C-alpha cells in the first residue's frame, strides 16, 4: 500500500496550522477593532419610535434590563402619560362639542386643572381617568385622533392598564417602559452588546429644534439606523401642522442619506409601527399622502410602495447599502429577530472595511 511521504504531509499540516493561526489572529484583531470602532447613529423624526429602539437595546443586551431604581423612576413617567393623554382627550371632546355624562363631566373639569407631572398622581386621579376612559363621549373623541387632534400612540395602552397602575406597590414592566413616551432632547449615548456585536449607539432628539445638534455626532459612524413610522402617513407634525409626517420623514431621510458625511455609510431603515399601519391602511387610503399610489388598501402592497419611496431618494443607489426592515418597536421579540439580521450585516460590513 502506498503512503504519503511523512515530510510532505508534515509540511502541508504545518502550513495549514500557520494559516489557521493567522486567520484566528486576524479575526481577534477584527473583533477588537469592531468593538472599538462600531458606532451606530440612531436618527429619525420625532415620535417615529426611535427612542423605543434605544430602550430595546438596553433590554436585549447581554445581562440587560432595567435596575429597580430605573423602574421606580419610570413610575412617574407612566403616571404622567396617563394624566397628560386623558387631558388631551378631555380638551378635544370639549373642542369638538362631544358631550360626556354629567358625572364624568365633573371629573373631566377637575382633571383639566391638574398639572401633568407624575408626582400629581393619586388613587383618585387614577379612578377619574378610568371612569373617563369608559365614557362613550371619550371613546367617540378617541376615534378622531390623528386627524382632529394629536394623541400619543400609546394612550390606549395606559388607559387599559390603569387598574395595575393603581396598585400600591406598582412597579413598571419592560412593556410599560417601552410604551412610555418621553420627548427626546439632547444626545443619549450608551454601549451595548447584543448577539455577537458590541457597539456604541447614539440617540438624538428628532424634533426640528433638536436636529441642529446632530452634526456633532456625524464623525466616524459605522452605520446609520433611520427610523420612520409607517402609520403616520395621514398625520401632521406637532411642531408644524402644515407638514405631513411621512413627507417630513422622506425629506429628512433624503437629507441624511445624501449627506457627504454618509456617502459610504450603510443605512438600516426601520419602517416602524407596522402593527398600527396594518390596522390603519384598511380604513385610511395611502392616497391621503401619495396621490400617485394606485394599489389596494393592503398592508404588503402599501408598505412596499413606501419602501420604494424611501429608496428612490438615495442618489447613490448603485453603491449605497440600505437594509430595510419593518418593525414594531414595542415588540421585543420582533426587534430581537430584526436585530439578529442587522448585526450580521453590520459585522460583515465592518470586517470588510478592516480587511
Amino acid at each position: 500500500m502506498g503512503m504519503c511521504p511523512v515530510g510532505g504531509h508534515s509540511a502541508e499540516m504545518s502550513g495549514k496550522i500557520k494559516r489557521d493561526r493567522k486567520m484566528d489572529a486576524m479575526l481577534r484583531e477584527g473583533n477588537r477593532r469592531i468593538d472599538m470602532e462600531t458606532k451606530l447613529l440612531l436618527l429619525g423624526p420625532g415620535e417615529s419610535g426611535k427612542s423605543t429602539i434605544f430602550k430595546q437595546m438596553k433590554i436585549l443586551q447581554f445581562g440587560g434590563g432595567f435596575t429597580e431604581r430605573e423602574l421606580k423612576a419610570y413610575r412617574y413617567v407612566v403616571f404622567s402619560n396617563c394624566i397628560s393623554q386623558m387631558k388631551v382627550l378631555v380638551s378635544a371632546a370639549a373642542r369638538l362639542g362631544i358631550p360626556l355624562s354629567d358625572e364624568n363631566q365633573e371629573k373631566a373639569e377637575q382633571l383639566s386643572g391638574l398639572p401633568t407631572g407624575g408626582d400629581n398622581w393619586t388613587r383618585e386621579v387614577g379612578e377619574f381617568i378610568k371612569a373617563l376612559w369608559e365614557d362613550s363621549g371619550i371613546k367617540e373623541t378617541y376615534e378622531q385622533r390623528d386627524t382632529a387632534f394629536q394623541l400619543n400612540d400609546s394612550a390606549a395602552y395606559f388607559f387599559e392598564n390603569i387598574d395595575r397602575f393603581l396598585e400600591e406597590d406598582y412597579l413598571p414592566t419592560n412593556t410599560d417602559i417601552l410604551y412610555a413616551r418621553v420627548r427626546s432632547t439632547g444626545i443619549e449615548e450608551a454601549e451595548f452588546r447584543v448577539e455577537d456585536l458590541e457597539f456604541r449607539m447614539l440617540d438624538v432628539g428628532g424634533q426640528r429644534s433638536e436636529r441642529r445638534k446632530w452634526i456633532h455626532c456625524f464623525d466616524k459612524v459605522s452605520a446609520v439606523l433611520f427610523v420612520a413610522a409607517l402609520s403616520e402617513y395621514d398625520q401632521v407634525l406637532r411642531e408644524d401642522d402644515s407638514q405631513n409626517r411621512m413627507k417630513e420623514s422622506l425629506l429628512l431621510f433624503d437629507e441624511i442619506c445624501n449627506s457627504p458625511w454618509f456617502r459610504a455609510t450603510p443605512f438600516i431603515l426601520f419602517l416602524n409601527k407596522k402593527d398600527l399601519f396594518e390596522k390603519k391602511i384598511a380604513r385610511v387610503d395611502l392616497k391621503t399622502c401619495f396621490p400617485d399610489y394606485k394599489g389596494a388598501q393592503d398592508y404588503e402592497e402599501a408598505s412596499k410602495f413606501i419602501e420604494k419611496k424611501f429608496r428612490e431618494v438615495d442618489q447613490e443607489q448603485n453603491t449605497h447599502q440600505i437594509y430595510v426592515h419593518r418593525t414594531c418597536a414595542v415588540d421585543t421579540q420582533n426587534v430581537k429577530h430584526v436585530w439578529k439580521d442587522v448585526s450580521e450585516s453590520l459585522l460583515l460590513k465592518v470586517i470588510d472595511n478592516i480587511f
Side-chain angles (χ1 to χ4, degrees):
M1 181 184 296
M3 296 181 63
C4 293
V6 174
H9 181 73
S10 297
E12 183 181 341
M13 287 298 295
S14 178
K16 183 178 184 303
I17 291 169
K18 285 180 181 178
R19 287 194 300 274
D20 288 347
R21 285 176 179 171
K22 184 177 180 180
M23 181 58 72
D24 288 344
M26 288 174 69
L27 288 172
R28 283 196 300 272
E29 174 65 9
N31 286 333
R32 185 184 70 81
R33 292 173 67 181
I34 288 169
D35 289 349
M36 288 193 306
E37 296 174 359
T38 303
K39 173 182 172 182
L40 307 182
L41 189 57
L42 187 57
L43 300 178
E47 300 186 65
S48 59
K50 181 172 53 63
S51 294
T52 308
I53 296 291
F54 191 86
K55 287 187 278 189
Q56 286 282 20
M57 293 301 102
K58 186 172 178 62
I59 293 169
L60 291 172
Q61 70 175 325
F62 180 75
F66 297 93
T67 65
E68 186 173 349
R69 183 177 180 179
E70 289 172 321
L71 292 174
K72 286 180 178 177
Y74 262 102
R75 279 166 48 98
Y76 295 95
V77 178
V78 169
F79 297 156
S80 177
N81 276 212
C82 291
I83 296 170
S84 66
Q85 296 312 289
M86 185 51 74
K87 286 183 66 173
V88 169
L89 284 172
V90 165
S91 175
R95 182 165 52 81
L96 295 169
I98 299 174
L100 310 182
S101 71
D102 291 341
E103 184 181 358
N104 284 333
Q105 183 59 45
E106 185 178 342
K107 291 181 174 67
E109 290 169 3
Q110 290 187 53
L111 191 69
S112 294
L114 191 70
T116 57
D119 52 355
N120 294 297
W121 179 267
T122 63
R123 184 169 189 86
E124 183 183 41
V125 169
E127 295 287 0
F128 281 5
I129 292 170
K130 180 180 178 180
L132 286 164
W133 180 237
E134 293 170 355
D135 190 285
S136 60
I138 289 293
K139 288 293 176 64
E140 183 182 343
T141 305
Y142 178 76
E143 291 304 315
Q144 298 191 45
R145 68 195 185 281
D146 297 348
T147 52
F149 62 95
Q150 305 265 10
L151 188 73
N152 288 354
D153 292 329
S154 58
Y157 171 84
F158 288 110
F159 300 149
E160 288 164 2
N161 283 275
I162 202 80
D163 284 332
R164 192 159 50 82
F165 307 150
L166 287 169
E167 295 172 4
E168 195 68 35
D169 58 349
Y170 163 67
L171 202 62
T173 64
N174 284 347
T175 304
D176 294 342
I177 291 174
L178 290 171
Y179 275 100
R181 165 92 179 121
V182 182
R183 177 177 169 173
S184 299
T185 57
I187 300 168
E188 188 172 1
E189 180 178 344
E191 293 185 359
F192 301 113
R193 184 174 187 86
V194 182
E195 297 291 337
D196 295 322
L197 183 66
E198 190 168 329
F199 57 92
R200 188 157 51 100
M201 180 177 279
L202 285 78
D203 176 25
V204 293
Q207 278 76 17
R208 286 177 173 177
S209 60
E210 295 292 319
R211 293 175 197 169
R212 64 184 183 276
K213 303 171 186 176
W214 289 11
I215 189 74
H216 303 296
C217 309
F218 285 1
D219 192 34
K220 297 179 180 178
V221 171
S222 304
V224 174
L225 273 70
F226 191 94
V227 185
L230 283 167
S231 61
E232 294 184 344
Y233 62 94
D234 66 333
Q235 296 172 245
V236 296
L237 299 179
R238 286 185 191 263
E239 61 265 44
D240 179 4
D241 61 10
S242 68
Q243 176 65 311
N244 176 277
R245 291 193 186 191
M246 179 66 76
K247 295 289 180 66
E248 178 80 356
S249 291
L250 281 164
L251 287 171
L252 188 56
F253 186 71
D254 185 348
E255 180 183 343
I256 299 298
C257 186
N258 296 308
S259 165
W261 287 92
F262 303 125
R263 280 182 182 150
T265 305
F267 272 67
I268 296 107
L269 174 60
F270 283 177
L271 295 177
N272 193 37
K273 302 188 181 182
K274 67 174 189 175
D275 55 327
L276 300 179
F277 178 71
E278 190 166 10
K279 293 175 182 176
K280 182 178 284 188
I281 194 63
R283 57 185 175 84
V284 182
D285 201 312
L286 194 59
K287 292 185 181 71
T288 302
C289 181
F290 301 111
D292 58 329
Y293 178 66
K294 307 301 182 187
Q297 290 181 233
D298 171 76
Y299 169 79
E300 285 295 333
E301 192 172 359
S303 59
K304 285 178 181 176
F305 181 87
I306 293 172
E307 177 182 337
K308 180 171 171 284
K309 286 289 185 183
F310 275 92
R311 288 190 181 277
E312 283 175 350
V313 305
D314 181 15
Q315 297 171 10
E316 305 286 342
Q317 291 185 34
N318 293 330
T319 56
H320 219 168
Q321 290 179 301
I322 300 179
Y323 306 95
V324 182
H325 299 273
R326 300 175 208 172
T327 58
C328 173
V330 294
D331 182 341
T332 300
Q333 289 307 309
N334 172 250
V335 175
K336 183 178 181 180
H337 175 74
V338 168
W339 190 256
K340 184 175 178 62
D341 292 339
V342 168
S343 60
E344 288 174 358
S345 300
L346 286 174
L347 279 168
L348 289 171
K349 177 63 179 176
V350 178
I351 289 173
D352 283 345
N353 288 343
I354 290 173
F355 300 117

